[in-house]
Amino acid sequence: MTQLAAAATLSAGTSTGEAFQFWVLGTFAVLGALCTVLMKKAVHSALCLAGTMIVLAIFYLANGAYFLGVVQIIVYTGAIMMLFLFVVMLVGVTAADSLKETIKGQRWLALLCGLGFGILLIAGIGNASLHHFNGLGKANAGGNVQGLAALLFTNYVFAFEITGALLITATLGAMVLTHRERTERARTQRELAEQRVREGKHLPPLPAPGVYARHNAVDIAGLLPDGTPSELTVNRTLRQRGQIRDVSAEALGDLKALEQRSAERLERPEEASK
Amino acid sequence: MNPVNYLYLAALLFTIGATGVLIRRNAIVVFMCVELMLNACNLAFVAFSRMHGNLDGQIIAFFTMVVAAAEVVVGLAIIVSLFRSRHSASVDDASLMKL
Amino acid sequence: MENLIALLVAAPLLGAAVLLCGGRRLDRVGHLLGTLLAAASFVIGVVLFADMLGKNADDRTFTQHLFSWIPVEGFQADVSFQLDQLSMTFVLLITGVGSLIHIYSIGYMEHDERRRRFFGYLNLFLAAMLLLVLADNYLLLYVGWEGVGLASYLLIGFWQHKPSAATAAKKAFLVNRVGDMGLSIAVMLMFTTFGTFAFGPVLKSAEEHLGGGATLTGIALMLLLAACGKSAQVPLQSWLGDAMEGPTPVSALIHAATMVTAGVYLIVRSGAVFNASPDAQLVVVVVGAVTLLFGAIVGCAKDDIKKALAGSTMSQIGYMVLAAGLGPIGYVFAIMHLVTHGFFKAGLFLGAGSVMHGMNDEVDMRKYGALRKYMPVTFVTFGLGYLAIIGFPGLSGFFSKDKIIEAAFAKGGTEGWILGSVALLGAAITAYYMTRVMIMTFFGEKRWQPDGEGHEPHPHESPKSMTIPMIVLAVGSVFAGGFFSIGDRFLHWLEPVTEHSHGNAPISATTVTAATMVVLVVGAGLAYLQYGRRPVPVVAPRGSLLTRAARRDLLQDDFNHVVLVRGGEHLTRSLVYVDHTLVDGVVNGTAASVGGLSGRLRKLQNGYARSYAVSMFGGAALIVAATLLMRAV
């Protein structure tokens, strides 16, 4: 880290170390970005993105933006990506997206536009005369954080205040969006029980998952006495996602083998032949 | 090495992010791609800050981060409520603008 | 005194308004009110006439400015009247004969339950005709002109429960519209050429040949077209015969006093325009001569008494138009013949109506015969009218027609000989067909038979209200011509308005008169030989080709059908085809292409946010490209 920081303090040019770091980490960043786009599962995408962001944080540090580099790690990789993961969890971790395109021509158009845009951007940068780098030695002389603070609380103070207001508004907005207003009195336990009786639903507590204590994972349906699985034993979310694992075939096979063995032992051929 | 390479990298990341927005259907992944684009911009700002030798570029990047944070909060809330009502996070399912 | 002019028009107009708006309450007095107001108009006319006689010949033009009709910058239309000798003649004729026909109608329409309405229409007719002759500018004249057209439509179709009457009314109206179009074009041309409609300035400009010969000829020809429509001249003559579907008093009114005289009035009134254009005058005399023979030939072949008389009217109006086309030589005689014709033709029509009245509305002359014993008054009055129209010496027609024939010869040159001969031939044919009508109706054996329901007609004399007008008109038919001609009274009376010149007649007046007498005797004698000496067959013989053609009005309707109706249909069909293929094709093609394009564009709006994002991204790429390009340039 200190090496990196030292490399970044170089004012105008770049050291060989920084070049090496750029090529290696840059490759990782591009790979991470590509994986973000191409991974089937949202969780994998999120992890790849987090990796790219960490690489970017290192690049910030290398460019003399110490404060931003740290904030990038804390806020982006730490907070924002965690938020993403929370939502992915809410929506369904394992649900893989189909990457098959449904809109005709969309993929080709997107690739064409992306390619064209990228080429144009790179051509634009290549055309621009950007050979003279001043470096941040002078600006960071009094410390990067102090320098930023001086600017933030003088020149950019109004923008700063407004961004604060924006954050508050966003928080309220998120609350409003996700909050559901209760418009009636919550029903008591007694009322719920009475309703269950009236509707003739399952009265006793739902059966537990797991089969003969051999499988006790929550996604495995408990088996009924005849060996068929009972979906009641599995959480409703899992049921809706279709993430129930079925072990009934195994259990039925076990049952059959047991019956055969006991039939052989008890010398009951008519049973065994069955 | 010329620090202008950071700009090329930023352009590349931005383009990848934009293409991802266009290709992916899962709203969360789309959102991640948007974040990727914002980060690419931040990288460019930081590089420009170094080029000009002042901290204004970093300030802009800082604001971008704050706005991105606010955006993520609202956007994810939208995705959650969308999922709640439609049981799907696909952006194509919300094609109600069609005739 | 001049303030009375407006009353001339106002009286019958008031009658029409009251009778038509008054409702059934007026049923019992309506006819009396209408007659009274027509008579009132006549009395006013007489008072004005007396006043006019008291003045010098040059001060006899009265004008009355009523109000400014359309006071616009550069376009001044007034409602103002002009009463001069020419208008005065017409006013007396219209109101006089009109009043007599009103009186006659009281008896004739006695049993018609819509008599009040009939009198309302009659009054409207009079009002429109008076407005026409009293207007001091062409625009107001046009109002009266259209009013006459409307009233004639209403009256010809008065028995609209008969499909033939409704059709005839429509036909008259439509054919008249063609003429009206001519008049409106003429008025527009006048305005663009002279900047005014008033008679005075227009005629003065025409005398000075302002506006160029071609324009004047155009105006004159358009005026002639208008006159052809109203006066039933070839080629717009076809409505006249069918107009006999109206009640007989209407026929009398249309043929004698109003309507058909309007065209002659228009030509004489616009004399200066025609004088300025010899070409147009030539067309006028040709039209007059052709119509003269056309009407006479048709009149010879018709067995329907009213249609025979209608052909006669056409022929006589042809005489007038011929005279009017001769220019200053003939204007006075055209009007004189018009007045005498007004008397005897009204008398003949009323006589015919009287005959029909006694014969259960039978119109076929082959089923008349020997009626002189049953209807003595009708016989005598009709006979006097007959003698007048064929030009029996001493009676009205003798003087007026003779003058026209003289004037035709006086035109001079080959033209004069041709026109004079045609007029003489017309006189012979007139004598022939009128004698035929006379003999078939009043002489010979009785030929009427019981009709389909076994009712045998009982010919009887008509009531007093009908005979008295006939007697008055008969008196007019006998004496008017003589009264006018002796001492050239009528000539001196009209000369200040119409001017007069003596042509250079190649033959003397006495020769012409002698020739007229000869052809008269020949024509009448032929008819006597053909119809008087032999019994008239009840069923018409097949006849020669000309007879058969003449029975069908010389194929005028067939001509119109083939040329106008068929041609119009073909034109319409081809226009419809063009409209369907070309116009609709362009319109529909535009619509289809826009629709197709929209359908394709619509597919871009597929509702997928990602598609829209592609567009946005593509747009952003384009903007970047544009920026780079601009910088590169």
Side-chain angles (χ1 to χ4, degrees):
Chain A
M1 198 70 180
T2 45
Q3 274 176 350
L4 294 175
T9 49
L10 283 172
S11 55
T14 48
S15 63
T16 321
E18 195 190 346
F20 176 72
Q21 170 195 299
F22 175 82
W23 291 116
V24 174
L25 290 184
T27 314
F28 277 116
V30 172
L31 280 178
L34 284 174
C35 289
T36 307
V37 173
L38 298 177
M39 281 294 176
K40 273 192 168 186
K41 292 191 176 179
V43 180
H44 296 168
S45 285
L47 290 176
C48 292
L49 185 60
T52 304
M53 281 177 175
I54 289 172
V55 171
L56 286 183
I58 294 168
F59 283 159
Y60 292 170
L61 293 174
N63 276 309
Y66 308 119
F67 179 69
L68 278 185
V70 174
V71 166
Q72 168 87 359
I73 289 172
I74 295 173
V75 173
Y76 252 119
T77 335
I80 292 181
M81 288 322 294
M82 280 314 110
L83 257 182
F84 267 103
L85 286 175
F86 267 123
V87 173
V88 168
M89 223 167 71
L90 271 177
V91 172
V93 194
T94 53
D97 277 0
S98 156
L99 282 182
K100 196 169 182 319
E101 186 55 61
T102 47
I103 306 174
K104 199 178 143 200
Q106 168 81 9
R107 181 161 292 173
W108 294 110
L109 270 178
L111 283 178
L112 187 74
C113 286
L115 210 61
F117 191 80
I119 288 170
L120 282 170
L121 269 190
I122 288 165
I125 297 167
N127 268 338
S129 49
L130 300 170
H131 301 294
H132 187 66
F133 272 69
N134 291 329
L136 282 169
K138 210 188 277 175
N140 276 345
N144 179 247
V145 179
Q146 284 83 349
L148 277 180
L151 271 178
L152 203 56
F153 295 120
T154 54
N155 287 359
Y156 295 95
V157 67
F158 286 114
F160 181 73
E161 296 291 343
I162 291 169
T163 339
L166 177 72
L167 271 178
I168 296 286
T169 317
T171 316
L172 282 176
M175 282 167 65
V176 167
L177 275 172
T178 47
H179 180 69
R180 268 193 273 188
E181 188 74 34
R182 180 173 278 279
T183 52
E184 56 188 359
R185 182 177 60 85
R187 278 174 297 185
T188 60
Q189 210 165 10
R190 183 184 180 82
E191 282 167 342
L192 287 172
E194 280 171 355
Q195 190 190 4
R196 264 211 295 275
V197 172
R198 230 182 0 255
E199 291 174 358
K201 277 193 179 165
H202 197 85
L203 285 178
L206 289 171
V211 181
Y212 299 131
R214 280 200 281 178
H215 300 276
N216 58 358
V218 284
D219 60 344
I220 292 177
L223 296 183
L224 294 172
D226 60 350
T228 52
S230 162
E231 295 211 333
L232 275 180
T233 58
V234 184
N235 184 302
R236 197 176 52 165
T237 310
L238 293 178
R239 245 184 287 155
Q240 281 189 347
R241 282 192 200 152
Q243 291 178 332
I244 302 173
R245 275 199 282 158
D246 189 1
V247 293
S248 57
E250 191 187 337
L252 286 174
D254 287 354
L255 201 61
K256 210 169 189 175
L258 184 69
E259 278 175 358
Q260 184 129 16
R261 278 202 304 279
S262 52
E264 280 168 10
R265 187 153 310 165
L266 295 175
E267 292 176 356
R268 271 191 267 169
E270 68 275 15
E271 289 260 342
S273 66
K274 222 193 274 183
Chain B
M1 185 198 83
N2 194 330
V4 91
N5 285 346
Y6 287 113
L7 294 180
Y8 288 122
L9 178 64
L12 201 56
L13 290 182
F14 185 91
T15 309
I16 291 170
T19 314
V21 168
L22 300 183
I23 289 177
R24 295 305 297 259
R25 279 200 301 279
N26 190 335
I28 301 170
V29 181
V30 168
F31 215 171
M32 287 180 205
C33 292
V34 172
E35 293 302 320
L36 184 60
M37 287 160 76
L38 285 170
N39 272 292
C41 290
N42 278 354
L43 180 60
F45 277 126
V46 170
F48 281 131
S49 172
R50 184 179 179 189
M51 187 176 103
H52 290 296
N54 60 30
L55 294 175
D56 292 86
Q58 295 186 17
I59 293 281
I60 300 294
F62 172 73
F63 282 129
T64 310
M65 278 187 193
V66 177
V67 172
E71 180 215 331
V72 163
V73 168
V74 177
L76 288 179
I78 288 173
I79 289 172
V80 167
S81 45
L82 198 69
F83 182 76
R84 213 187 262 159
S85 63
R86 306 184 69 90
H87 296 289
S88 156
S90 168
V91 286
D92 285 359
D93 285 354
S95 63
L96 298 176
M97 284 188 278
K98 197 169 158 183
L99 275 176
Chain C
M1 191 54 78
E2 298 178 355
N3 295 338
L4 287 176
I5 300 175
L7 281 181
L8 277 173
V9 183
L13 197 62
L14 176 75
V18 169
L19 290 180
L20 293 179
C21 304
R24 295 184 187 283
R25 276 162 293 169
L26 293 174
D27 271 357
R28 290 200 300 156
V29 294
H31 51 285
L32 296 178
L33 183 66
T35 311
L36 197 67
L37 284 168
S41 191
F42 178 60
V43 171
I44 298 168
V46 169
V47 170
L48 282 166
F49 179 58
D51 185 54
M52 190 179 271
L53 283 180
K55 301 205 172 176
N56 282 331
D58 295 332
D59 296 339
R60 281 175 174 171
T61 302
F62 301 162
T63 54
Q64 185 186 6
H65 180 77
L66 218 54
F67 57 89
S68 269
W69 181 17
I70 310 175
V72 181
E73 179 74 33
F75 183 97
Q76 186 69 29
D78 292 334
V79 174
S80 52
F81 298 122
Q82 174 186 337
L83 183 67
D84 56 11
Q85 290 92 325
L86 181 61
S87 308
M88 195 71 234
T89 313
F90 272 88
V91 165
L92 289 178
L93 178 71
I94 294 163
T95 55
V97 177
S99 303
L100 288 176
I101 291 171
H102 272 77
I103 296 169
Y104 178 89
S105 303
I106 296 175
Y108 191 86
M109 300 297 283
E110 196 172 359
H111 305 297
D112 197 303
E113 57 183 18
R114 293 161 72 227
R115 182 162 66 161
R116 171 184 56 81
R117 188 184 293 258
F118 181 76
F119 275 84
Y121 292 158
L122 281 187
N123 274 358
L124 180 64
F125 208 148
L126 283 195
M129 195 64 201
L130 287 169
L131 185 64
L132 197 162
V133 297
L134 284 172
D136 92 323
N137 60 62
Y138 281 98
L139 203 62
L140 195 59
L141 180 145
Y142 188 70
V143 175
W145 192 269
E146 292 293 343
V148 169
L150 168 69
S152 69
Y153 169 77
L154 293 170
L155 283 171
I156 294 170
F158 186 72
W159 286 326
Q160 74 245 75
H161 52 86
K162 288 197 295 184
S164 57
T167 315
K170 233 185 283 177
K171 184 175 180 185
F173 195 72
L174 285 177
V175 175
N176 265 295
R177 293 307 309 172
V178 179
D180 296 347
M181 198 45 88
L183 184 55
S184 59
I185 292 173
V187 171
M188 291 178 215
L189 273 176
M190 275 174 202
F191 184 74
T192 52
T193 314
F194 308 128
T196 173
F197 312 112
F199 287 148
V202 167
L203 299 179
K204 196 162 180 299
S205 310
E207 269 170 29
E208 292 161 8
H209 286 269
L210 291 181
T215 316
L216 281 173
T217 306
I219 294 175
L221 287 178
M222 285 299 120
L223 287 174
L224 174 65
L225 182 65
C228 283
K230 272 281 180 289
S231 293
Q233 300 295 295
V234 173
L236 299 179
Q237 80 290 1
S238 63
W239 63 272
L240 193 71
D242 291 350
M244 293 301 119
E245 289 294 340
T248 308
V250 174
S251 309
L253 195 59
I254 288 179
H255 286 234
T258 58
M259 188 97 179
V260 293
T261 61
V264 181
Y265 171 78
L266 185 67
I267 295 178
V268 174
R269 175 59 83 192
S270 317
V273 180
F274 285 93
N275 291 345
S277 167
D279 296 340
Q281 272 185 326
L282 181 64
V283 179
V284 175
V285 291
V286 169
V287 164
V290 169
T291 312
L292 189 168
L293 291 179
F294 189 100
I297 293 169
V298 169
C300 292
K302 292 287 184 183
D303 290 332
D304 180 330
I305 184 167
K306 284 177 75 179
K307 295 211 167 158
L309 289 178
S312 151
T313 303
M314 206 188 285
S315 168
Q316 299 301 315
I317 303 283
Y319 269 112
M320 297 170 209
V321 171
L322 170 63
L326 294 173
I329 314 172
Y331 289 142
V332 174
F333 303 129
I335 300 300
M336 189 160 110
H337 192 55
L338 194 151
V339 175
T340 56
H341 175 255
F343 282 113
F344 55 67
K345 187 48 68 63
L348 287 171
F349 264 112
L350 296 190
S354 174
V355 169
M356 286 159 57
H357 195 71
M359 295 291 291
N360 287 354
D361 286 334
E362 178 60 63
V363 292
D364 190 349
M365 288 189 290
R366 291 184 187 276
K367 295 181 181 158
Y368 291 165
L371 286 177
R372 66 182 186 280
K373 296 171 209 153
Y374 300 90
M375 305 179 170
V377 180
T378 307
F379 167 59
V380 172
T381 52
F382 195 93
L384 288 174
Y386 154 72
L387 290 177
I389 195 174
I390 63 170
F392 192 78
L395 273 70
S396 294
F398 168 73
F399 293 103
S400 53
K401 200 189 287 178
D402 213 35
K403 292 283 187 205
I404 292 179
I405 298 171
E406 273 176 41
F409 278 114
K411 174 83 174 166
T414 325
E415 224 178 299
W417 281 105
I418 295 172
L419 292 175
S421 314
V422 167
L424 267 180
L425 181 62
I429 305 176
T430 305
Y432 172 80
Y433 68 74
M434 283 313 297
T435 310
R436 174 176 175 268
V437 168
M438 197 66 196
I439 291 173
M440 282 175 87
T441 306
F442 291 102
F443 293 92
E445 296 299 311
K446 71 167 196 159
R447 292 186 298 276
W448 61 83
Q449 295 147 347
D451 61 12
E453 292 158 16
H455 301 299
E456 186 164 346
H458 297 287
H460 55 274
E461 192 50 82
S462 300
K464 284 254 164 35
S465 66
M466 288 168 69
T467 50
I468 289 173
M470 285 153 60
I471 293 167
V472 174
L473 288 168
V475 171
S477 321
V478 174
F479 297 111
F483 179 75
F484 289 156
S485 289
I486 293 168
D488 284 343
R489 279 205 191 94
F490 200 75
L491 185 60
H492 294 309
W493 161 254
L494 268 190
E495 204 177 355
V497 184
T498 59
E499 298 172 10
H500 184 70
S501 65
H502 297 280
N504 42 350
I507 45 177
S508 70
T510 328
T511 322
V512 172
T513 310
T516 315
M517 284 306 106
V518 171
V519 298
L520 171 77
V521 171
V522 169
L526 256 178
Y528 175 71
L529 286 178
Q530 215 170 339
Y531 295 96
R533 301 283 299 270
R534 284 178 293 190
V536 179
V538 177
V539 178
R542 193 153 174 273
S544 66
L545 195 65
L546 181 65
T547 315
R548 273 180 281 147
R551 276 195 197 124
R552 301 184 60 182
D553 299 310
L554 291 179
L555 305 177
Q556 60 184 16
D557 290 333
D558 306 80
F559 177 81
N560 285 347
H561 186 75
V562 169
V563 173
L564 300 177
V565 178
R566 289 268 173 76
E569 275 173 3
H570 285 299
L571 184 67
T572 318
R573 242 178 255 145
S574 49
L575 282 180
V576 164
Y577 179 75
V578 168
D579 185 52
H580 277 179
T581 51
L582 200 70
V583 180
D584 286 9
V586 169
V587 173
N588 291 343
T590 312
S593 58
V594 169
L597 199 65
S598 313
R600 268 171 213 137
L601 282 176
R602 206 189 112 227
K603 286 191 183 147
L604 293 179
Q605 304 286 329
N606 53 9
Y608 291 115
R610 290 192 297 139
S611 286
Y612 302 150
V614 167
S615 322
M616 272 178 70
F617 193 43
L622 283 183
I623 288 172
V624 171
T627 316
L628 288 180
L629 268 179
M630 290 308 290
R631 238 187 45 177
V633 171

